[in-house]
Amino acid sequence: MSKPSDKNQTPKTISREVLESIARRAHYSATQMIFQANHRTDKEKGDPKIGGHASASASSLHIMGALHLMVKSGFDHIANKPHASPTDHSYNYLLDLFLKQDLSKLSLEEANTAMMGLRKYSHGEPVFQSYHSTYDSDNHNFFPSGTVGIPPVEAGYMALAYRYAREHGYEVPDAHFWALTGDSEFREGSMYEAVPDFAERELGSLTWILDYNRQSLDGQRITNPEIMNGTDADRVERTMAANGWEVIQVRHGQKRLNLFKKAGGDTFKNFLEKELEDYELQALLLVQDMKALKKGIAKEHPNMKKFLDSVTDQELYEAIRDFGGHDIMLLAEAMEQSKKSTRRPTIIIAHTLKGWGLRCAAQPGNHSQLPTEDELVELKSKQGITGEGLFERFASSTPEAKYLKERGEKLWSEIKAQHALKDKNQKFFLEKLTQWGEIPETLDINTKMTSYPHTQWMLGQLTAKLTRIANTPLEENKLAEKQKPLTANEKPFKLPGELFITMAPDVGTSTNLNPAMDGKIFGAPVVTEDLETELGVKDHKLPDLIPGEEVSDRFLRFEIAEGNVMSCVGAFGRMRDTLGIPLIPLMTVYDFFIKRALDQYFYNLYWKSSFFCVGTPSGVTLSPEGAQHGWKSDIQIPNQITWEPFFCQELDWILCDSIKRHVLNNNAGRSGVLLRLVTRGAEQKDMMTYLKKQARFKAGLEGKLTRAEFPVNGGVNEEELATMDEAQILRQVREEVLQGAYYLIDYRGYAGYEPGDNVVNIFAMGSLVTEGIKASETLLSHGIYANVIVVTSPDLLVGIQAHENDYAYLKHGLGINSDLYLRKSEEISAGDLVTVAGKRVPVVSVHDGEAGLLDNVGSVIGVRQESCAVRKHSKCGRPSEIFAFHGIDADSVVEACGKVLAETALEQVIVRESALEQTQNAGKAANHWTELWPSKAPVNKH
């Protein structure tokens, strides 16, 4: 396939003077942006500070200048440190690259409005978020950067996603992936976890740039040169080199390099690199009296006296400040050099000055300092900008304007070329996806021959089938020996199967991904020789985990680094919206350890990645593992949809529907699919057994039903009535499963069913549906009708998605309401006013997780609810023991039902007797729910 080129030749030879002039204008514009954001007239009392990080933005000025003005292409991606965003916006302002959604340019007036709108709430006008954002008008191929330590890792895994897509035959442009990080940010554990992985995967298209300004939020960076054997820059160099990275130090600017050539210049170079600690350097930068400084240095370093005598005070002043990270030409050379390292990622350590060009340069605590008004006036004057206008591009006749126009047009054309490629890919995949008809609702996994399967087992079956379909030729003459041709139901899954890629943090085999892994490890360009086969020691009963480079290789192995995998699944999930290639990434992880990657997980959801995260096994249901594996990562975040199926069939429907939504780009607001699975088996036949008992699925029903075990006068034994066709029942239930919940046990339409008297609704989720079923059966034997509603998605039922339509499915789809059922209680002597008992149908919820997952069902509807949930650290034991320990077992559910039924009965309403259609003689009023529901002796569950 042809692909757009990223050859990024500079439009023409350009002088250092012109480039530095542009950088100074960008510096002024960025500083002015920050100043204006902090001096708005609409500030209200108590409003938090705006900030803007002028000094941190200034230290990255020339680094970003080299990228924007000389090195990057419109196909490249950039992850920039958060505090450098004003600088980026300023370069894009000068390049005229503020774009609308249709890629047309903002007018100059609109662009100036945007520059005035840093951290401002938009009422439709263009503004800029605090840091790089998907919503900014210059967001093209920029990673959102509010979370430090995450975007540089995403850049690496996007580089891997590009290579993966290319090697699997999809059309992608040549691109380089850049990440600018702060030196304090570089201490983030997320970055160090990824360092060896990027080198081992030979991501030569990745360049990290360290903005080494030696200062952080709380002051000077304090390092220990004696213990670390050098500066922090030396430590970083050794660390990265030891992990397989190319390292380029850009320590000195051209002025320093010229001075090094003078007699004794080598002593000055050694002084700067080896003898001067970072903290001392920052102090020297604050000294203005060069004569005194010369004397002080000569006294401490006598070998430098000859050199110091040979340079003027001005030369020394400029040389001390001439960091390589502010030499735009040397930076561009280093960046171009990094692109030549095709097998190793590169880190450029750019030595910079925090607050470059500002009065606060090198000052302690300058991180949060803001420029003063007179400083802005001075900067504006130096730019030759007159009048009331605050932001101004170069006059069209200047060499700066001519260069910026040519450079900006080139980048704009490449941006449009990438979007054209995205459109082309989207059209290609849409046509190919519908070639064999719509994606079916199910993968038709047969569970009837399996004893008590669990949902994690089902995941393995589903992924195995997708893998088999992907690797089965459509042409029968290409089938291998004994390879079965695809059925009509399987052919529509062919392309989704090919797009499907799985990954795991060293738990692929233990989360049932074996079939997707066996002989299908994507390891390119690293190929490991299969010595096991060569030496005759291969165990073919175990999965083949040798990396390869076949097109059928679609599993990514990782070490135990959950953050890396979460970043990777997010990067692969962005390929759909970046290039129109709907790769379907799915990661498995022990559910408890999702917490280790919550930062990365949030990032994936924020930038609207479309991906699958399977937390399995989950919760205290993994009872033998005890406390440390038991607490689920229960979270609600925008763009997330959580599923927790009980029956294997539910998982089949959920996965197929989610895949279809992903490939058709029909999952807005729910692009992050979080699946909770377990290794506790369940009787799959129970699903149809209980569904067939429901009145709505009976054929020719007249009158009321009753259960054979507990006959009620006036009812017909439900077993004596025929039921609808199973396929018809499943079609209806599938729709309900995908809306978030369905009735498994439903006594509506049964004789003796009296809402407000003997009815309670049990909402059960995941493996705890077993406890809901048991509780319902126990309660029925006592004359209580306990409906069991299986919650498949808390987000759809009572979470963010449900809130969007005012919980319509809960209220109307399931018919859960707060209707009040009245009966006469006792008369009072006040005309015809009567005190009555008002009863609603109460709710009990039971699930393996934090109470907050389902404890708002009652409040949403307006009824009494008791939530059986995990509220303490767990222990080891059998599920039955652990469920009892947490009060989420069947007995606890029964007790909870008794409590809410009794408490509901205590509610009283005063109403006119004439308004009552029916009344009953009232008994003695109870004072507490326990009087109506005698409890057995309390059990010590501790």
Side-chain angles (χ1 to χ4, degrees):
M1 295 183 179
S2 61
K3 55 190 175 184
S5 171
D6 76 334
K7 301 300 181 186
N8 190 37
Q9 301 297 324
T10 302
K12 61 183 179 180
T13 304
I14 191 69
S15 69
R16 175 189 290 270
E17 289 72 21
V18 169
L19 291 170
E20 289 181 345
S21 173
I22 295 171
R24 287 192 296 272
R25 177 63 61 91
H27 177 255
Y28 157 73
S29 299
T31 310
Q32 185 69 269
M33 281 181 78
I34 295 168
F35 181 83
Q36 293 302 322
N38 285 275
H39 293 82
R40 293 194 188 118
T41 58
D42 60 353
K43 182 177 180 180
E44 298 176 357
K45 287 184 177 180
D47 279 357
K49 71 179 183 66
I50 301 296
H53 312 286
S55 61
S57 183
S59 72
S60 68
L61 177 70
H62 298 91
I63 299 172
M64 299 314 299
L67 266 178
H68 284 290
L69 301 177
M70 302 175 70
V71 180
K72 78 167 187 178
S73 79
F75 302 109
D76 290 358
H77 290 254
I78 298 178
N80 203 353
K81 71 175 192 175
H83 300 155
S85 58
T87 292
D88 276 329
H89 297 320
S90 297
Y91 278 117
N92 283 316
Y93 171 79
L94 296 173
L95 288 162
D96 194 14
L97 287 177
F98 289 174
L99 307 177
K100 301 176 183 177
Q101 285 194 338
D102 64 359
L103 301 185
S104 62
K105 296 185 176 183
L106 268 62
S107 66
L108 179 59
E109 181 182 357
E110 290 171 324
N112 287 335
T113 298
M115 295 293 282
M116 288 290 290
L118 179 64
R119 302 189 176 195
K120 185 177 181 182
Y121 180 79
S122 173
H123 294 277
E125 76 278 14
V127 299
F128 290 115
Q129 300 290 313
S130 302
Y131 309 119
H132 298 92
S133 166
T134 305
Y135 306 99
D136 293 337
S137 55
D138 57 353
N139 68 75
H140 174 76
N141 285 359
F142 258 78
F143 293 88
S145 64
T147 303
V148 294
I150 305 300
V153 178
E154 289 289 355
Y157 287 119
M158 276 293 279
L160 179 62
Y162 266 53
R163 188 175 76 203
Y164 176 91
R166 181 182 295 112
E167 295 190 8
H168 282 76
Y170 304 124
E171 188 171 358
V172 300
D174 290 331
H176 202 82
F177 298 82
W178 308 92
L180 173 63
T181 76
D183 48 1
S184 188
E185 178 184 8
F186 201 70
R187 294 285 183 123
E188 285 279 359
S190 55
M191 297 184 67
Y192 277 95
E193 282 189 5
V195 163
D197 197 45
F198 290 161
E200 289 174 340
R201 296 186 192 275
E202 298 187 17
L203 297 181
S205 59
L206 173 66
T207 300
W208 282 359
I209 306 167
L210 186 62
D211 183 354
Y212 186 63
N213 60 33
R214 303 165 179 81
Q215 289 184 275
S216 59
L217 179 64
D218 289 331
Q220 314 290 5
R221 292 286 314 286
I222 299 177
T223 59
N224 192 325
E226 181 179 350
I227 296 298
M228 302 304 289
N229 192 26
T231 65
D232 211 28
D234 299 327
R235 178 192 62 81
V236 171
E237 178 174 358
R238 292 193 304 269
T239 300
M240 300 303 280
N243 279 282
W245 287 56
E246 297 284 357
V247 182
I248 302 173
Q249 291 260 16
V250 186
R251 296 177 183 269
H252 312 295
Q254 193 59 52
K255 292 177 182 177
R256 283 186 183 178
L257 295 176
N258 292 336
L259 289 181
F260 293 162
K261 297 174 184 177
K262 296 174 67 78
D266 57 333
T267 61
F268 184 47
K269 182 174 185 290
N270 186 71
F271 170 71
L272 293 172
E273 294 183 2
K274 304 296 183 184
E275 298 180 358
L276 191 61
E277 295 181 15
D278 287 348
Y279 187 74
E280 292 177 285
L281 174 60
Q282 296 297 107
L284 292 186
L285 289 167
L286 299 175
V287 177
Q288 300 296 313
D289 186 345
M290 289 300 103
K291 285 185 172 57
L293 182 60
K294 279 184 177 181
K295 289 181 180 178
I297 294 175
K299 181 179 179 181
E300 295 294 328
H301 305 274
N303 62 332
M304 287 184 59
K305 188 175 186 309
K306 183 178 180 182
F307 169 77
L308 292 170
D309 289 342
S310 69
V311 298
T312 66
D313 292 351
Q314 186 63 27
E315 284 178 323
L316 180 61
Y317 181 86
E318 292 177 356
I320 289 175
R321 289 157 179 78
D322 188 33
F323 298 101
H326 295 294
D327 191 310
I328 199 166
M329 303 299 280
L330 293 177
L331 287 166
E333 289 177 13
M335 293 174 189
E336 291 292 352
Q337 181 182 337
S338 77
K339 293 172 69 175
K340 295 176 183 177
S341 178
T342 57
R343 293 191 62 192
R344 295 172 181 264
T346 301
I347 183 168
I348 298 172
I349 304 173
H351 295 240
T352 59
L353 173 60
K354 190 163 187 176
W356 184 93
L358 299 174
R359 296 175 186 174
C360 67
Q363 290 183 1
N366 63 7
H367 186 85
S368 56
Q369 277 186 252
L370 293 172
T372 60
E373 184 173 4
D374 65 311
E375 187 175 7
L376 259 298
V377 171
E378 182 181 338
L379 288 173
K380 180 181 177 182
S381 175
K382 287 181 179 179
Q383 286 301 311
I385 300 174
T386 58
E388 296 297 319
L390 298 176
F391 301 100
E392 190 173 297
R393 291 171 179 156
F394 289 97
S396 59
S397 60
T398 62
E400 291 92 340
K402 293 176 181 178
Y403 180 80
L404 286 166
K405 180 175 177 57
E406 190 172 355
R407 173 69 175 161
E409 289 296 317
K410 180 180 183 298
L411 290 171
W412 189 32
S413 68
E414 291 167 338
I415 291 171
K416 290 186 288 187
Q418 178 175 315
H419 281 262
L421 174 60
K422 175 185 174 181
D423 293 341
K424 176 183 175 183
N425 280 333
Q426 285 179 329
K427 183 179 179 182
F428 167 79
F429 284 107
L430 185 59
E431 290 176 354
K432 196 171 179 183
L433 281 165
T434 55
Q435 180 180 0
W436 300 101
E438 283 196 26
I439 296 175
E441 297 173 348
T442 173
L443 276 160
D444 288 330
I445 304 297
N446 189 342
T447 62
K448 293 180 179 178
M449 303 300 292
T450 306
S451 176
Y452 270 71
H454 47 69
T455 49
Q456 189 188 100
W457 171 88
M458 187 62 170
L459 174 72
Q461 299 302 302
L462 293 166
T463 56
K465 189 161 188 177
L466 280 172
T467 302
R468 178 179 64 78
I469 292 172
N471 295 325
T472 300
L474 288 167
E475 303 85 355
E476 293 197 16
N477 61 345
K478 294 183 180 179
L479 292 171
E481 187 179 353
K482 296 183 179 181
Q483 191 174 23
K484 295 180 180 179
L486 297 179
T487 66
N489 191 66
E490 291 172 340
K491 287 180 179 179
F493 282 109
K494 172 67 173 171
L495 183 56
E498 292 174 347
L499 292 165
F500 191 63
I501 175 173
T502 50
M503 57 191 77
D506 203 38
V507 294
T509 53
S510 57
T511 54
N512 282 47
L513 291 182
N514 300 37
M517 301 171 67
D518 189 13
K520 304 174 187 69
I521 308 297
F522 177 74
V526 181
V527 179
T528 304
E529 191 176 349
D530 188 357
L531 291 176
E532 291 178 355
T533 297
E534 230 177 86
L535 297 173
V537 294
K538 192 83 164 182
D539 186 345
H540 294 284
K541 295 179 182 179
L542 299 175
D544 177 6
L545 304 180
I546 304 299
E549 50 184 351
E550 301 295 327
V551 72
S552 61
D553 296 334
R554 300 188 183 93
F555 182 88
L556 289 177
R557 282 187 63 186
F558 284 83
E559 304 301 332
I560 305 175
E562 291 84 0
N564 285 350
V565 191
M566 192 67 78
S567 288
C568 187
V569 79
F572 275 68
R574 277 291 297 186
M575 291 293 282
R576 184 192 72 180
D577 295 339
T578 301
L579 294 179
I581 303 172
L583 297 176
I584 308 171
L586 178 146
M587 69 170 286
T588 58
V589 57
Y590 293 165
D591 182 85
F592 178 80
F593 298 116
I594 290 177
K595 296 182 186 67
R596 292 185 179 174
L598 272 182
D599 201 354
Q600 292 87 341
Y601 181 72
F602 180 89
Y603 188 94
N604 290 346
L605 295 171
Y606 175 77
W607 73 325
K608 299 179 182 179
S609 178
S610 187
F611 65 98
F612 293 75
C613 177
V614 183
T616 181
S618 68
V620 299
T621 300
L622 185 63
S623 53
E625 294 287 348
Q628 294 189 26
H629 286 65
W631 197 267
K632 282 167 58 181
S633 308
D634 298 327
I635 42 182
Q636 286 191 46
I637 305 175
N639 294 337
Q640 166 192 289
I641 182 167
T642 303
W643 297 97
E644 191 164 341
F646 172 61
F647 291 112
C648 291
Q649 182 61 69
E650 297 169 21
L651 178 57
D652 185 1
W653 290 331
I654 290 166
L655 187 66
C656 290
D657 181 72
S658 299
I659 287 174
K660 182 177 180 179
R661 287 177 177 273
H662 171 93
V663 295
L664 296 180
N665 203 354
N666 183 30
N667 58 354
R670 52 192 292 177
S671 59
V673 178
L674 179 60
L675 283 161
R676 309 282 200 193
L677 308 182
V678 294
T679 51
R680 182 184 182 226
E683 179 56 78
Q684 301 301 306
K685 291 184 293 186
D686 282 352
M687 184 181 200
M688 191 53 65
T689 297
Y690 284 105
L691 290 175
K692 286 182 176 180
K693 294 180 184 297
Q694 297 184 20
R696 60 175 175 156
F697 295 133
K698 292 296 182 181
L701 174 63
E702 294 180 5
K704 301 286 188 178
L705 292 176
T706 185
R707 287 276 295 277
E709 309 96 307
F710 311 106
V712 178
N713 291 334
V716 178
N717 181 3
E718 60 86 14
E719 293 179 350
E720 297 176 2
L721 291 178
T723 58
M724 293 165 50
D725 177 68
E726 285 192 9
Q728 190 176 352
I729 294 175
L730 290 175
R731 278 196 296 272
Q732 174 63 35
V733 173
R734 173 187 172 273
E735 292 181 9
E736 296 167 1
V737 164
L738 296 179
Q739 291 184 81
Y742 68 97
Y743 281 92
L744 177 64
I745 298 178
D746 186 359
Y747 288 116
R748 292 175 300 179
Y750 271 67
Y753 183 86
E754 296 290 343
D757 182 26
N758 62 357
V759 177
V760 62
N761 288 318
I762 299 174
F763 285 79
M765 186 166 68
S767 191
L768 274 296
V769 171
T770 58
E771 308 310 296
I773 294 173
K774 293 174 187 175
S776 178
E777 293 292 327
T778 299
L779 289 164
L780 185 59
S781 67
H782 294 291
I784 303 296
Y785 289 86
N787 298 317
V788 176
I789 300 166
V790 176
V791 179
T792 53
S793 172
D795 290 329
L796 287 175
L797 187 69
V798 287
I800 292 174
Q801 286 86 358
H803 182 266
E804 291 172 357
N805 61 13
D806 194 27
Y807 311 95
Y809 181 65
L810 174 67
K811 296 175 180 177
H812 308 300
L814 295 174
I816 308 299
N817 55 56
S818 59
D819 290 352
L820 188 63
Y821 301 87
L822 302 177
R823 62 189 180 90
K824 188 174 179 180
S825 176
E826 61 182 37
E827 295 184 7
I828 60 174
S829 56
D832 66 341
L833 293 182
V834 177
T835 302
V836 298
K839 290 188 177 183
R840 307 176 200 275
V841 178
V843 166
V844 168
S845 61
V846 59
H847 61 277
D848 179 358
E850 297 174 17
L853 279 176
L854 292 178
D855 67 354
N856 62 331
V857 175
S859 61
V860 167
I861 300 302
V863 300
R864 179 72 181 90
Q865 176 182 358
E866 188 73 13
S867 177
C868 300
V870 177
R871 292 181 170 88
K872 55 189 175 184
H873 291 295
S874 195
K875 294 183 177 183
C876 289
R878 295 188 303 272
S880 59
E881 296 167 322
I882 296 305
F883 291 166
F885 172 73
H886 288 287
I888 56 177
D889 61 326
D891 288 345
S892 298
V893 175
V894 169
E895 286 296 303
C897 288
K899 179 180 180 182
V900 293
L901 282 166
E903 287 184 337
T904 299
L906 297 177
E907 183 176 359
Q908 291 189 331
V909 179
I910 297 178
V911 63
R912 292 189 181 277
E913 187 173 20
S914 58
L916 295 175
E917 295 182 1
Q918 295 181 348
T919 61
Q920 302 176 24
N921 291 327
K924 179 177 177 242
N927 296 314
H928 193 265
W929 73 270
T930 53
E931 295 179 36
L932 299 178
W933 188 271
S935 178
K936 59 186 177 183
V939 177
N940 185 358
K941 296 179 180 179
H942 302 280

